[in-house]
Amino acid sequence: MSYDTLIPLLKKTKSPLSVQEFQERVNIVFHDFEAEYYDRMHADMWGSLQQQINLLVDDLFEYEDIKSSKLHLLDIGCGTGLSSNILLNSRLGQHIDQITLLDTSPNMLKFAEEKAKTWNKKYKIVNSYLSELNEKVDVIIISSVLHHIPDLEAFLKQVEEVLEHKGILIHLQDPNGDYLNDIEYKNRKAQYEKEISLLPIKKKWTDYFPKKILKPIKRLINRKDYIDLVNDKLLAEKTIKKRMTADEIWSITDIHVETKNDTLNKGISLNFLKKQLQDFELIKMRSYGFYGYLKSDLIESYAEKEEGFISKNCLNGRNISCVWIKK
């Protein structure tokens, strides 16, 4: 279990909470503040996720002819509703009749509900954990969530419990733990970063100040970023007694992603998923982010190369996406 990696940070911040309570509270507060910026910050995900979901849905329909138009979708860790929105735009969307949007962040759910009002589908907002959900569903989507879950073994058992027989599980936008150390991937990423480092960059005034100086200046002129606001909230409610850096906060929220503070937890492994999802059949695994970035962030010549890797279904990209059916 990954909670143990947070003990040094728990002690450093002098938090009075248990390590599990600490992780859960920081995660909720962080995502409550991030909700205000999420769709703008992750605008690059719209195109890439739509493509990945479309591909996975096509894989699904090749495997099974889905006729029902009354499917119940559960979006776990729905955030602002981005992934449900994208799934409804896919071929599977016409088969979905109702949606449960589940998240631990009340503010994320506020934005998700605004999207849900436009879908012309029955929907329900649930501010809770999966373990507390008392319903069965036909389709589950989990987008950019698995790497936030400390105890994935327990979480995936809960996923299995709420999914109906022959139910569909789609997950995506998590770090590809089997290939992040792949030499070919690392060489491609290094090659791309070297090339873009040579491109002219228009500097902002903030680029001329070291970060250590810039942070206090921003606070003095009341231009706090959401990392500052997260710290303010955690300090005010006495979850912590000492501020955390952005990287320290991310090591708590993105617990299966390598950071400066945690080089042990790195990515989601397909072998691990297969071991945990033994009552599921893997229909297809796909990968993307072959240069370490989503396609919409790449310069044009590399975006074309990225498309080539995706069309060949190469597996050594930064991100993983999969579609499964419960046996």
Side-chain angles (χ1 to χ4, degrees):
M1 191 186 299
S2 298
Y3 287 117
D4 292 346
T5 63
L6 303 181
I7 292 174
L9 194 50
L10 181 82
K11 292 178 179 177
K12 180 182 175 182
T13 59
K14 299 180 180 179
S15 175
L17 305 181
S18 72
V19 67
Q20 182 172 346
E21 292 168 338
F22 175 67
Q23 191 276 334
E24 289 175 356
R25 189 59 195 151
V26 172
N27 194 53
I28 290 171
V29 171
F30 173 83
H31 284 102
D32 265 348
F33 281 106
E34 191 187 41
E36 303 287 341
Y37 310 91
Y38 191 86
D39 284 351
R40 294 195 303 276
M41 286 171 54
H42 298 288
D44 59 335
M45 287 169 55
W46 282 90
S48 294
L49 294 195
Q50 187 69 68
Q51 180 181 33
Q52 287 301 309
I53 286 178
N54 287 347
L55 288 168
L56 292 175
V57 167
D58 287 345
D59 295 331
L60 172 66
F61 275 89
E62 281 183 23
Y63 177 85
E64 183 152 315
D65 184 19
I66 297 170
K67 298 191 183 322
S68 174
S69 60
K70 299 290 184 181
L71 298 181
H72 184 175
L73 168 68
L74 169 62
D75 188 342
I76 301 175
C78 68
T80 63
L82 173 62
S83 50
S84 282
N85 200 107
I86 291 172
L87 184 63
L88 291 173
N89 289 335
S90 77
R91 186 178 171 188
L92 188 59
Q94 62 186 312
H95 296 272
I96 293 169
D97 177 56
Q98 59 178 315
I99 303 152
T100 297
L101 295 161
L102 176 71
D103 206 288
T104 58
S105 164
N107 208 27
M108 284 286 190
L109 286 169
K110 182 184 77 174
F111 287 93
E113 184 162 20
E114 288 305 307
K115 289 187 180 72
K117 290 175 182 176
T118 69
W119 294 339
N120 197 27
K121 306 276 185 183
K122 297 190 290 287
Y123 71 88
K124 179 168 63 174
I125 302 294
V126 181
N127 180 208
S128 187
Y129 290 93
L130 177 60
S131 58
E132 297 169 4
L133 194 69
N134 186 26
E135 60 185 41
K136 288 278 192 178
V137 299
D138 307 296
V139 184
I140 290 177
I141 187 163
I142 310 172
S143 177
S144 194
V145 169
L146 294 181
H147 61 276
H148 295 302
I149 308 294
D151 191 347
L152 275 171
E153 292 92 339
F155 175 80
L156 291 171
K157 284 178 184 175
Q158 293 160 10
V159 167
E160 183 177 346
E161 287 170 6
V162 301
L163 195 59
E164 295 279 13
H165 172 64
K166 300 290 283 183
I168 300 157
L169 169 62
I170 295 173
H171 62 85
L172 66 162
Q173 194 61 17
D174 284 294
N176 187 354
D178 295 317
Y179 285 100
L180 291 179
N181 280 322
D182 178 71
I183 295 299
E184 185 180 346
Y185 165 73
K186 291 173 87 170
N187 287 342
R188 279 198 307 262
K189 186 171 183 286
Q191 171 197 352
Y192 180 71
E193 289 179 344
K194 181 180 179 181
E195 184 155 337
I196 61 173
S197 71
L198 301 174
L199 297 175
I201 299 173
K202 186 177 180 180
K203 287 196 170 187
K204 301 176 289 187
W205 70 269
T206 52
D207 295 327
Y208 294 95
F209 291 87
K211 287 184 180 179
K212 286 185 179 179
I213 296 175
L214 187 62
K215 279 280 186 184
I217 291 174
K218 280 182 155 183
R219 289 191 190 121
L220 281 172
I221 60 176
N222 202 27
R223 290 189 58 195
K224 294 185 177 184
D225 59 28
Y226 71 98
I227 296 297
D228 292 317
L229 297 173
V230 169
N231 274 302
D232 289 348
K233 172 73 172 174
L234 293 171
L235 286 164
E237 67 183 28
K238 298 185 172 20
T239 293
I240 59 174
K241 295 180 181 178
K242 185 178 179 181
R243 282 184 177 272
M244 292 183 284
T245 65
D247 200 70
E248 286 172 336
I249 291 174
W250 289 326
S251 73
I252 299 168
T253 60
D254 293 21
I255 201 162
H256 295 287
V257 179
E258 184 181 31
T259 68
K260 294 175 186 175
N261 300 291
D262 180 6
T263 58
L264 297 176
N265 292 298
K266 193 173 182 183
I268 306 298
S269 164
L270 181 64
N271 289 330
F272 167 81
L273 292 171
K274 284 181 175 178
K275 191 177 293 185
Q276 303 304 316
L277 298 171
Q278 292 186 21
D279 291 332
F280 287 73
E281 181 172 357
L282 176 64
I283 305 307
K284 194 78 159 189
M285 173 200 167
R286 291 185 174 273
S287 186
Y288 54 107
F290 292 95
Y291 291 93
Y293 300 86
L294 294 181
K295 187 170 66 175
S296 54
D297 281 337
L298 297 171
I299 59 177
E300 186 175 353
S301 59
Y302 280 86
E304 291 172 1
K305 294 175 184 178
E306 169 83 6
E307 186 60 39
F309 287 120
I310 290 172
S311 64
K312 292 174 188 174
N313 195 29
C314 297
L315 299 180
N316 60 344
R318 183 190 71 178
N319 297 95
I320 182 175
S321 65
C322 295
V323 56
W324 312 70
I325 286 188
K326 185 177 174 182
K327 297 175 186 175

